[in-house]
Amino acid sequence: MIKLLTGNEAIAQGALEAGVDVVTGYPGTPSTEVMLNLMAKRKELGIHMEWSVNEKVAFEIAAGAAWVGKRALVTMKMSGLNVAADSISAIAYSGCTGGLVIFVADDPGTSAGMVEQDSRYYAKSMIIPTLDLASQQECLDYMKIAFEISENIKGPVMLRSTTDIAHVASLVDINGQTERDTKKREAHFERNIPKYTKAASAWCMAQHQDALNRLTHALETIESKNYNKKYRINEIHFEPESKYGVIYGGAVQGNFLEVLNRYNIKISRLKIGMVHPLPESLIKEFLENKNIERILILEELDPIIESEIYRIAFLLNKKVEILGKLNNTLPYTGSYSFVLIKKALEILLESEFNGQNKDKEKLQPVLEEAQDLIVARPTSFCSGCPHRGTYYALNTAIKNLKYKKDDIIVHGDIGCTILGMNKPFESCWTEVAMGASIGMAQGFKWGGIEKPVIAAIGDSTFFHAGIPPLINAVHQNANVCIIILDNWWTAMTGFEENPGTIYLKDTDTRRVNLVNICQGCGVEKIDIIDPYEPKKAIKVLEEAIKYPGVSVVVSRQECALQAHRRKVNLPKYRVDIEKCTGCQICLNQLACPEMVFHPKTEDHKAYMEISVDCFGCGLCQYTCPFGAIEVIEDGK
Ligand code: SF4
Ligand code: SF4
């Protein structure tokens, strides 16, 4: 059956067809939708799936399931791989019994912010066989292959995707059957101390050698099972008359083949689907072809394949001109567009392709029209977002304590909460990594910042990586104020559950109380505020900022979009135009998207209007000095 699927949907489908038994993950663009798609079927499939508290825990749970013989999948974005790396590396050395697949999505072009990290380095450093996805069909096929390789070599296998594969849809041939129905895998674990512990150096060295052996075995598995024939994981195509060649891997495949097709270019090529270990014999065969004199290496981010091509060409003593990043033909950053790949091929072939100018002429008016349609819109909190109230209260508290805005450093963290760096709040100064705000705040204090230092962190981020630095702050008696913006969901990535989520239908999960955790960590000053009640919130924050030690303020109110979905009904607000002076204080302080300012005209004075989509948080009423904003009592 042919279906239009995004890469992430195809990954989920591949996992189902592979008969996965346990799935875990932590949300992070561009990987989130794999789990979202699987979670939607969690009840129906009756298998264990969970959004774990962080990627390290997610991996450990998946690895545990694979150690007892099940097929387990863990999903994460590239930054999550850093978090999980400690455990992945240890388990990659030990190996596993069942199939264990680590799905990681990199983000060339940083569509979702964060670092442009190339996870293929981890494949090398952790000694994990890795398949690099080049199409949506491969997402489905390679997931199944990855489980087979993993079971065959008895070690984890990594599937690496990128944004242009994960979020783009194309037609995918799906099977619809699941291996789970035919293969019942019994849970079983055999005691094997030298394999499953690191308690003796001889065992560790043996595990290291085993991991290296698994790499060779993975490549042999691909060849022996004849995957290359069916799935074209690593594939050579020689063009007899051409002295030019391209070696490529990953998401560049789509645009590369499109350029060849559109300009009818005949060129030798080597596609690399297994990026670790590289198919060295195929690379040698390609380089040794007597016709090939000049090659281009196409891969996004770092020159990982390219560096190896230099090494192999050197060992072969092959005189070949290599174009890529190392000779500045291609950039290290960003995703590779059609235009960029076309330009690189023109450099390789030392000619301009026919039709270039025609294309430009056709495209120009469309680009200009698209440019006109772009609206300059600052990134802002949603209508009714409780974080708006928290940052409003924080800024007011700082002002009431007679500090200037630039006196007080607020470390922001990952997630919606970092939007507090934008106008009109401009509260947050930094953003580093999950949970880092609390550690960074301590460093600023010990580094000598005398004025108060604040960390602002969301609930999911706190559960993920904020607890150890909080314990550290208590232990060291650091003078920091920590605000946990608790909106009950992992909202930024798509409203996934976290341990603090209030309402979990169809699951047996339990809510974990943030305040109890803080108490358990030894925090002595803990307050809870409602960001929709600024008057009280400001007073509490003033005291917390002044407190000489670790203070925690939990600002608690559900994400407005989730509350709206759960049909939480709050009274709506409107502006009494008679009382409104058009001063715009409400708009300037809150920037709520539901406020519409009408400037003075000949027919009417300047005034503010509140749209019918008002969520009803009530913050604007608090900010209006003229009492012009009122509740619509009957809700209409
Ligand atoms: S509603 Fe109040 S604060 Fe907003 S513009 Fe009118 S008078 Fe000013
Ligand atoms: S218009 Fe006022 S009450 Fe309505 S969502 Fe915006 S700030 Fe809240």
Side-chain angles (χ1 to χ4, degrees):
M1 188 197 330
I2 307 287
K3 252 185 145 177
L4 185 68
L5 297 179
T6 63
N8 281 347
E9 286 168 338
I11 286 281
Q13 181 63 29
L16 291 178
E17 291 188 12
V20 70
D21 298 300
V22 170
V23 189
T24 60
Y26 186 82
T29 309
S31 70
T32 314
E33 298 82 7
V34 171
M35 276 289 284
L36 286 180
N37 275 281
L38 288 166
M39 290 286 255
K41 301 189 176 93
R42 154 165 77 175
K43 202 78 179 169
E44 163 198 336
L45 291 166
I47 62 177
H48 183 77
M49 296 181 194
E50 65 167 59
W51 284 121
S52 307
V53 74
N54 66 31
E55 295 84 354
K56 185 171 183 289
V57 174
F59 172 74
E60 287 154 2
I61 293 165
W67 273 15
V68 299
K70 301 287 181 177
R71 281 195 167 183
L73 167 68
V74 58
T75 75
M76 61 192 74
K77 71 187 285 183
M78 67 289 169
S79 334
L81 191 56
N82 303 333
V83 177
D86 197 18
S87 292
I88 296 181
S89 158
I91 284 169
Y93 273 45
S94 286
C96 51
T97 324
L100 176 58
V101 177
I102 303 157
F103 170 71
V104 61
D106 285 355
D107 190 15
T110 61
S111 62
M114 298 307 293
V115 290
E116 254 192 326
Q117 172 180 302
D118 195 324
S119 295
R120 294 177 298 169
Y121 283 119
Y122 275 109
K124 292 183 89 171
S125 72
M126 293 169 168
I127 323 180
I128 298 180
T130 298
L131 298 167
D132 207 3
L133 298 167
S135 72
Q136 286 67 30
Q137 184 67 54
E138 285 184 8
C139 289
L140 187 146
D141 295 337
Y142 286 17
M143 175 59 81
K144 294 194 279 186
I145 292 170
F147 274 116
E148 287 179 14
I149 298 173
S150 174
E151 284 172 346
N152 216 27
I153 67 169
K154 302 214 173 307
V157 170
M158 190 148 81
L159 264 191
R160 185 245 187 185
S161 177
T162 49
T163 312
D164 286 353
I165 297 294
H167 287 169
V168 173
S170 75
L171 295 176
V172 177
D173 191 356
I174 70 171
N175 175 336
Q177 301 297 315
T178 168
E179 280 188 34
R180 265 195 112 234
D181 301 338
T182 52
K183 286 192 181 167
K184 180 132 180 66
R185 290 174 275 269
E186 294 295 337
H188 175 70
F189 184 67
E190 270 176 30
R191 184 182 163 97
N192 186 342
I193 301 286
K195 181 175 166 68
Y196 294 118
T197 75
K198 312 270 182 246
S201 65
W203 299 343
C204 295
M205 282 166 63
Q207 287 175 22
H208 189 179
Q209 189 56 54
D210 286 348
L212 292 167
N213 295 346
R214 280 193 286 273
L215 280 186
T216 320
H217 195 180
L219 207 51
E220 286 165 359
T221 304
I222 285 188
E223 279 150 18
S224 67
K225 289 212 167 200
N226 225 354
Y227 287 135
N228 273 338
K229 215 167 184 183
K230 187 172 175 199
Y231 297 112
R232 300 175 173 178
I233 297 174
N234 302 315
E235 188 192 33
I236 282 188
H237 169 87
F238 280 123
E239 202 58 55
E241 301 302 317
S242 180
K243 63 174 182 178
Y244 302 109
V246 172
I247 299 177
Y248 66 98
V252 295
Q253 175 176 271
N255 283 329
F256 168 54
L257 297 181
E258 180 67 26
V259 175
L260 296 191
N261 184 39
R262 200 177 297 180
Y263 297 100
N264 197 24
I265 297 163
K266 304 283 183 226
I267 196 170
S268 293
R269 50 191 192 264
L270 167 59
K271 184 245 164 129
I272 294 180
M274 178 167 263
V275 73
H276 190 62
L278 284 173
E280 202 148 325
S281 55
L282 272 189
I283 294 172
K284 282 180 182 160
E285 186 186 336
F286 191 77
L287 292 177
E288 280 177 330
N289 183 291
K290 60 179 177 7
N291 289 335
I292 290 186
E293 293 172 10
R294 200 169 149 89
I295 58 172
L296 172 73
I297 317 297
L298 279 177
E299 61 184 321
E300 287 175 339
L301 299 181
D302 291 355
I304 290 179
I305 297 175
E306 189 178 338
S307 306
E308 287 296 301
I309 302 300
Y310 273 95
R311 179 183 65 81
I312 296 167
F314 174 79
L315 291 175
L316 292 173
N317 201 18
K318 166 81 183 186
K319 297 277 173 284
V320 60
E321 199 178 345
I322 301 171
L323 310 183
K325 293 176 220 290
L326 296 171
N327 81 331
N328 296 324
T329 302
L330 285 160
Y332 280 65
T333 60
S335 65
Y336 283 8
S337 65
F338 176 90
V339 174
L340 188 113
I341 292 175
K342 175 173 171 269
K343 212 170 137 203
L345 283 166
E346 285 174 339
I347 295 170
L348 174 73
L349 271 66
E350 299 161 293
S351 71
E352 280 208 353
F353 302 154
N354 290 335
Q356 184 203 35
N357 292 337
K358 251 194 231 158
D359 273 2
K360 224 177 184 175
E361 276 165 30
K362 262 196 241 163
L363 214 57
Q364 203 52 34
V366 180
L367 289 175
E368 278 166 19
E369 197 181 327
Q371 202 63 33
D372 287 346
L373 294 174
I374 295 172
V375 179
R377 199 194 303 268
T379 328
S380 155
F381 293 119
C382 306
S383 166
C385 175
H387 301 337
R388 178 177 282 108
T390 307
Y391 286 115
Y392 170 74
L394 174 62
N395 284 355
T396 313
I398 289 171
K399 199 167 138 201
N400 290 353
L401 292 172
K402 309 281 181 241
Y403 290 113
K404 293 199 199 81
K405 188 85 177 300
D406 286 349
D407 285 340
I408 306 296
I409 297 163
V410 180
H411 290 282
D413 220 305
I414 310 293
C416 298
T417 57
I418 192 55
L419 297 180
M421 72 189 166
N422 291 331
K423 284 181 189 296
F425 306 102
E426 295 178 311
S427 303
C428 301
W429 296 40
T430 69
E431 181 200 23
V432 176
M434 296 290 282
S437 59
I438 301 176
M440 295 298 293
Q442 292 168 61
F444 272 52
K445 282 310 284 186
W446 296 127
I449 298 292
E450 287 179 2
K451 292 185 177 133
V453 178
I454 296 169
I457 182 169
D459 49 342
S460 188
T461 315
F462 177 73
F463 285 120
H464 179 287
I467 299 168
L470 175 64
I471 293 170
N472 193 76
V474 172
H475 176 56
Q476 296 293 340
N477 202 16
N479 188 359
V480 290
C481 171
I482 298 156
I483 305 170
I484 306 175
L485 296 93
D486 179 15
N487 70 355
W488 314 351
W489 294 93
T490 308
M492 184 68 126
T493 43
F495 314 104
E496 295 79 30
E497 307 154 8
N498 71 50
T501 298
I502 189 169
Y503 174 69
L504 299 182
K505 58 177 181 190
D506 297 342
T507 74
D508 298 325
T509 53
R510 283 178 57 200
R511 190 178 193 201
V512 176
N513 192 332
L514 272 172
V515 174
N516 293 349
I517 290 179
C518 295
Q519 281 166 343
C521 291
V523 181
E524 286 171 353
K525 176 153 182 63
I526 307 173
D527 294 284
I528 303 172
I529 58 172
D530 179 349
Y532 291 168
E533 290 187 15
K535 199 171 174 183
K536 282 190 210 154
I538 292 163
K539 282 278 155 258
V540 170
L541 282 164
E542 284 174 21
E543 292 306 314
I545 293 169
K546 283 192 292 187
Y547 185 77
V550 180
S551 61
V552 170
V553 178
V554 177
S555 183
R556 183 170 278 172
Q557 190 59 256
E558 186 174 14
C559 161
L561 295 187
Q562 282 299 79
H564 187 69
R565 284 187 187 132
R566 295 199 309 113
K567 305 210 182 320
V568 172
N569 221 354
L570 295 177
K572 303 290 179 275
Y573 288 76
R574 74 170 172 207
V575 177
D576 180 339
I577 294 171
E578 292 305 313
K579 290 186 190 164
C580 178
T581 63
C583 67
Q584 299 187 67
I585 287 173
C586 52
L587 184 62
N588 291 337
Q589 293 201 357
L590 298 174
C592 173
E594 306 313 334
M595 293 173 180
V596 184
F597 179 63
H598 297 271
K600 184 173 181 296
T601 66
E602 279 182 8
D603 297 331
H604 60 72
K605 64 173 190 165
Y607 68 96
M608 193 65 68
E609 186 190 0
I610 289 178
S611 93
V612 288
D613 290 325
C614 164
F615 176 74
C617 71
L619 287 173
C620 53
Q621 188 182 40
Y622 184 81
T623 61
C624 175
F626 303 100
I629 300 179
E630 58 192 21
V631 175
I632 306 170
E633 294 295 349
D634 61 4
K636 287 180 189 155

